[in-house]
Amino acid sequence: MFAVGMALLFSAASFAQQDSLKYRISLTDKSQTPYSLDEPERFLSPKAIERRKRQGLPVDSTDLPVSPVYIETIRNYGLTIVVTGKWDNFVTVSCNDTTIMEQVSSLPFVREVKRVWKAPEKGPDPVERDSVANVYETGESYYGDAWRQIEISNGHLLHQAGFSGHGMMVGVIDAGFHNADRIALLENVKIVGVRDFVDSQSDIYGENDHGMKVLSCMAANLPYAMVGTAPDAGYVLLRSEDAYTEHLVEQDYWAAALEYADSLGVDVVNTSLGYYDFNDKTQNYRYRDLDGHFSLMSRQAGRASDKGMIVVCSAGNAGGSPWKKITPPADADHILTVGAIGRDGILANFSSVGNTADGRIKPDVVAVGYRSAVIDTDGTLNSANGTSFASPILCGMVTCLWQACPELTAREIIEIVRLSGDRAEWPDNIYGYGIPDMWKAYQSGKQRTEEKR
């Protein structure tokens, strides 16, 4: 589910599957593994290892891959492996025969089997690429219409000090990135990798446009037309959202995407996705489930800081609905959950509220998510509403802040961003710690860095 209502584009490729069911198989352990914690280079990239070492983080059992012996045993039942997740130790499979899953559930190393997807009766029509006009105006402001959403948090001061994301890598886990490869306003964006976890055969640039608009808030880099909050960072585009249906399997895709981002050495991850209402209503979340652990995505997001990454997440757009609350993974601990304000600093009426079920402050902070400057699929400039855009606007500034304070850990960066908020002394469940002042956070970061030396 997107953190903003919008017209959806679908791909029939996502449904060109023979199997009609998908299951998450949660495992008890990682026995019979050929991997050892003494040799992390066999299963972690040099960048991932270096990131952990730099922050004093251990390589632990959650880093070990899912047991290949268990995977092969499961595959021998005739099941197709969809994704695996090592941090939560699961294997997601597809099949048509429920009796096979009953047999798998009795295996000694299987803790739980849960259905996470059922094929719809009819798939969507094939998507066609929008025509690209690439018509836009330039103005006097270096940032174009994005000026206010950056200036309200003093993000421009980081840029002026030379911190615009250079050398940092940002993962964007979202739906498709429609036309991002054809838009002139995005031609200077440094795309360092793409991967589709929903359908490996799809064209990630021909899918839904939500991720493209999210990306534009951070990565746009055409002075006097539109410049985003981290224009010089490198970006990895990852698709986990299947826009046609709402099933738990999208969280499996997301979990795999986050682990992939870790393996590439990504520093900061933005995700403008949230889930609480599913096609199978028996799987809907309840308020008491917002504890940071019930949802697979929330558990996974919370672990990211243990791996040295920062996750920035949209709070959700349920503020005006009966649900009202944040949507997982926004309830995760050790992440930055972002609510939406207008350019005037006033909360957008759709922005989801906290707190978590266990009493933690959420959202953490707020950023402009009402009339946010974005790029449309035809290459023109526009505005859009949703915490979906507040999240990447802040994410880019957090990326620049970490570039400026590289000796701080992920959790330290999260802490100084919270404490820079204009409501830090009296945080609440609506604005959280308030509108962050990134220049103030930078000054605090420099002081902490000096204290470490």
Side-chain angles (χ1 to χ4, degrees), residues 17 36 72 107 126 128 154 178 222 267 286 330 368 384 450:
Q17 307 170 54
S36 167
E72 191 59 26
L107 291 171
E128 294 185 5
N154 279 333
H178 195 85
L222 198 59
D267 302 294
R286 305 150 296 183
V368 173
E450 288 300 321

Side-chain angles (χ1 to χ4, degrees), residues 201-361:
Q201 303 303 311
S202 80
D203 175 10
I204 203 167
Y205 297 119
E207 294 292 338
N208 189 276
D209 66 354
H210 185 264
M212 186 278 295
K213 293 180 178 179
V214 166
L215 175 68
S216 72
C217 297
M218 295 179 280
N221 192 10
L222 198 59
Y224 303 101
M226 182 173 175
V227 175
T229 49
D232 291 322
Y235 290 89
V236 181
L237 311 184
L238 306 170
R239 179 179 175 233
S240 71
E241 164 71 16
D242 187 342
Y244 187 66
T245 61
E246 209 73 283
H247 286 290
L248 287 174
V249 73
E250 292 165 86
Q251 302 199 30
D252 300 48
Y253 302 148
W254 191 92
L258 185 63
E259 291 182 9
Y260 180 69
D262 171 43
S263 74
L264 295 179
V266 162
D267 302 294
V268 185
V269 171
N270 182 84
T271 189
S272 293
L273 302 171
Y275 301 88
Y276 73 95
D277 185 26
F278 300 96
N279 289 82
D280 181 350
K281 300 305 178 186
T282 65
Q283 296 178 335
N284 284 3
Y285 293 142
R286 305 150 296 183
Y287 290 149
R288 63 179 178 272
D289 298 329
L290 301 178
D291 61 1
H293 302 283
F294 187 85
S295 157
L296 170 62
M297 283 177 78
S298 299
R299 292 195 299 274
Q300 198 82 346
R303 290 187 181 108
S305 69
D306 295 333
K307 314 304 178 184
M309 293 188 293
I310 296 174
V311 171
V312 184
C313 175
S314 56
N317 293 336
S321 75
W323 172 261
K324 296 187 183 302
K325 290 281 191 174
I326 53 175
T327 52
D331 62 320
D333 205 356
H334 308 305
I335 71 169
L336 283 168
T337 299
V338 190
I341 54 173
R343 301 183 188 200
D344 56 1
I346 303 301
L347 191 81
N349 59 10
F350 54 75
S351 189
S352 290
V353 302
N355 286 329
T356 64
D358 55 332
R360 286 174 290 114
I361 296 292

Side-chain angles (χ1 to χ4, degrees), residues 158-239:
L158 289 178
H159 294 174
Q160 290 172 11
F163 307 114
S164 53
H166 179 73
M168 303 293 288
M169 195 184 308
V170 180
V172 187
I173 308 180
D174 215 286
F177 299 84
H178 195 85
N179 278 354
D181 58 338
R182 299 181 179 180
I183 293 173
L185 285 161
L186 295 176
E187 65 184 5
N188 294 327
V189 177
K190 300 179 181 69
I191 305 297
V192 296
V194 300
R195 184 163 173 178
D196 191 326
F197 288 84
V198 180
D199 177 9
S200 61
Q201 303 303 311
S202 80
D203 175 10
I204 203 167
Y205 297 119
E207 294 292 338
N208 189 276
D209 66 354
H210 185 264
M212 186 278 295
K213 293 180 178 179
V214 166
L215 175 68
S216 72
C217 297
M218 295 179 280
N221 192 10
L222 198 59
Y224 303 101
M226 182 173 175
V227 175
T229 49
D232 291 322
Y235 290 89
V236 181
L237 311 184
L238 306 170
R239 179 179 175 233

Side-chain angles (χ1 to χ4, degrees), residues 149 339-344 346-350 367-373 383-387 389-390 393:
Q149 60 203 41
I341 54 173
R343 301 183 188 200
D344 56 1
I346 303 301
L347 191 81
N349 59 10
F350 54 75
V368 173
Y370 176 68
R371 293 188 62 235
S372 305
S383 63
N385 302 330
T387 58
F389 309 115
I393 286 169

